[in-house]
Amino acid sequence: MPSEPVSIDTQHNDMVHDAQLDYYGIKLATCSSDKTVKVFNVAKDQEVSHVITLGGHEGPVYEVAWAHPKFGSILASSSFDGSVLLHRETHPTGSWDLVHAHRMHESSVNSISYAPHEYGLILAAGSSDGKVSVITHKDDDSWEVAHFQDNKLGVNSVSFAPYSSNPDKKEMRLVVGGCDNQVRFWTLNSETNEWEQDDFDSSKTEIFHSDWVRDVAWAPSVGSESIVASCSEDKTVIIWSQSEGGGSGWTPKLLNSFEDPVWRVSWSLTGNILAVSSGDNKITLWKATLDGKW
């Protein structure tokens, strides 16, 4: 039997923009227009408790993201003030310290995404200035930043591809959703260490978005096929698929047309169920059947 939903009063003083569970599902991070990030203990069979409120941002905080636990308890947050802050929990004291402040962007940072842990401690950030920055933690405890211009209108979402065990597919890949209604794919060239855009134009396909792309999510690895979900203010969700050895092309399929703008998409850990949140205050779960229908 499914358990009853647990309602949490975050005590934020303004709109809550994001809520993310950590790897083990025992800590919950929330962020808000009140410029703060809050962390809660939500372990099963225990009473929900507030752990800490993290400040440091000078504007609304739009997204939070947990790093893989092999790097410790590290929480990233992105804000309208153009910054990305990374806080780490120190054991056994339980204190939280700011370990890095990334302030490169000239406008709001709307989305953050960690790379698969096999690549190291790496975080991508997408901004309204149209740029994506990739922040890498080095062995000497310094931080290296690379960036590229995705489009001139602004970036709403970024998502890393899962790690591939195929030795010919080791490059890091990113999907970016923008205010120019497009979905773009980028690959890190291992020889030049530069991010290069794939030779693919999502506006030239049979199915495409006609309004801002609000979120993109690369599905966890499900065999040899790459799958990405995108959602838009045009009230649609599109599933993009690319077969192994299929070149740089992607095949779009309309998952559904909704009655309101669609804000977020999120895959299950196994990559077979997609959660969709839309402007009608509903969350729907979608699964592909054997014949490819959702």
Side-chain angles (χ1 to χ4, degrees):
M1 291 288 292
S3 59
E4 289 294 315
V6 177
S7 179
I8 299 173
D9 182 3
T10 64
Q11 298 289 312
H12 279 298
N13 297 323
D14 209 329
M15 183 185 300
V16 176
H17 293 288
D18 197 15
Q20 296 289 337
L21 290 165
D22 71 351
Y23 180 85
Y24 299 110
I26 59 176
K27 281 191 175 71
L28 173 72
T30 61
C31 60
S32 165
S33 281
D34 66 7
K35 307 178 185 178
T36 68
V37 172
K38 291 178 183 282
V39 179
F40 300 86
N41 277 328
V42 292
K44 191 176 181 182
D45 301 325
Q46 293 184 19
E47 189 172 343
V48 174
S49 60
H50 173 252
V51 176
I52 193 169
T53 298
L54 301 171
H57 288 294
E58 298 175 2
V61 187
Y62 288 145
E63 282 201 7
V64 285
W66 293 95
H68 190 276
K70 71 178 286 186
F71 305 112
S73 188
I74 298 178
L75 180 64
S77 54
S78 65
S79 170
F80 178 79
D81 66 8
S83 71
V84 176
L85 302 182
L86 287 92
H87 287 86
R88 176 189 279 126
E89 183 182 18
T90 303
H91 296 286
T93 62
S95 63
W96 286 77
D97 301 308
L98 179 68
V99 292
H100 184 63
H102 174 63
R103 306 185 190 274
M104 185 206 82
H105 290 285
E106 300 169 359
S107 191
S108 171
V109 179
N110 303 315
S111 179
I112 47 177
S113 173
Y114 278 105
H117 67 86
E118 292 89 347
Y119 293 117
L121 182 55
I122 300 172
L123 182 75
S127 169
S128 291
D129 62 13
K131 295 177 182 176
V132 174
S133 57
V134 181
I135 314 158
T136 302
H137 182 255
K138 309 301 285 185
D139 291 338
D140 62 359
D141 209 27
S142 63
W143 297 83
E144 181 180 273
V145 179
H147 63 86
F148 57 86
Q149 185 81 38
D150 180 80
N151 69 85
K152 294 183 179 180
L153 297 181
V155 171
N156 290 322
S157 183
V158 293
S159 178
F160 273 101
Y163 183 79
S164 174
S165 57
N166 185 338
D168 297 325
K169 297 281 186 180
K170 290 296 187 183
E171 302 96 341
M172 268 192 288
R173 301 177 73 191
L174 268 171
V175 59
V176 180
C179 298
D180 61 349
N181 313 341
Q182 290 217 42
V183 174
R184 288 186 176 86
F185 297 90
W186 295 80
T187 302
L188 181 64
N189 187 314
S190 56
E191 295 180 358
T192 64
N193 209 32
E194 297 285 334
W195 285 90
E196 298 174 350
Q197 185 180 339
D198 291 7
D199 184 21
F200 172 73
D201 188 340
S202 65
S203 66
K204 300 289 178 61
T205 55
E206 184 179 343
I207 301 170
F208 54 87
H209 288 300
S210 60
D211 207 334
W212 285 16
V213 178
R214 277 296 179 182
D215 198 18
V216 288
W218 207 307
S221 185
V222 283
S224 60
E225 192 175 37
S226 293
I227 298 176
V228 168
S230 63
C231 66
S232 167
E233 290 199 31
D234 66 9
K235 307 176 184 178
T236 67
V237 172
I238 296 176
I239 304 296
W240 306 85
S241 59
Q242 182 187 60
S243 58
E244 190 170 5
S248 59
W250 289 79
T251 303
K253 185 169 188 176
L254 181 67
L255 177 131
N256 191 50
S257 290
F258 294 80
E259 295 182 1
D260 293 276
V262 188
W263 298 109
R264 297 291 292 272
V265 284
S266 178
W267 293 98
S268 63
L269 287 176
T270 52
N272 65 332
I273 297 177
L274 180 69
V276 179
S277 66
S278 46
D280 56 4
N281 303 332
K282 292 179 181 177
I283 298 172
T284 51
L285 302 180
W286 299 81
K287 190 174 183 178
T289 57
L290 292 176
D291 59 0
K293 294 181 180 178
W294 289 83

